[in-house]
Amino acid sequence: MTDTSPLFALEHPELGQLPARRVLDCVFALAPDGKLLHFHAEQMTLNAAGDLELTAQAPDESRARCRVIPPFVVAFRPETP
C-alpha cells in the first residue's frame, strides 16, 4: 500500500495513544511492541477531543472474514510537512 490515509491517534484503553491509519472501515494501529492491531469502525467512538477511542464493542459478525490489507509499518511514522 503506497497511498495512505492521514495518520491520527487512537486512544486504546490499555495501551494509551497509538498511531493509527484508517483503510475503508478498518482501523490499523501500531502497538508499542511493533505489532499492527486491526479494529473496525463499529468498535470506535469519538471522544471529547475529537479523536477516535477504542470501546469494548465487539466487531460485527460479518467482519470475521475481513481481508483488508494493512498499511506497511513505515506508514505509521510521524508525517513531516
Side-chain angles (χ1 to χ4, degrees):
M1 177 176 175
T2 56
D3 189 89
T4 56
S5 62
L7 186 65
F8 65 91
L10 170 68
E11 287 294 329
H12 189 285
E14 297 168 5
L15 301 174
Q17 200 173 62
L18 304 175
R21 296 234 184 232
R22 186 171 181 158
V23 179
L24 302 173
D25 284 339
C26 297
V27 174
F28 295 94
L30 185 62
D33 64 4
K35 291 182 183 177
L36 282 178
L37 307 176
H38 182 181
F39 305 106
H40 292 100
E42 65 272 11
Q43 295 177 270
M44 309 287 154
T45 187
L46 282 176
N47 63 20
D51 297 322
L52 283 179
E53 187 172 329
L54 185 64
T55 67
Q57 174 72 33
D60 291 342
E61 287 184 27
S62 64
R63 304 287 191 189
R65 299 182 67 123
C66 180
R67 299 283 185 240
V68 172
I69 299 170
F72 294 114
V73 171
V74 294
F76 293 89
R77 291 184 183 150
E79 297 174 347
T80 55

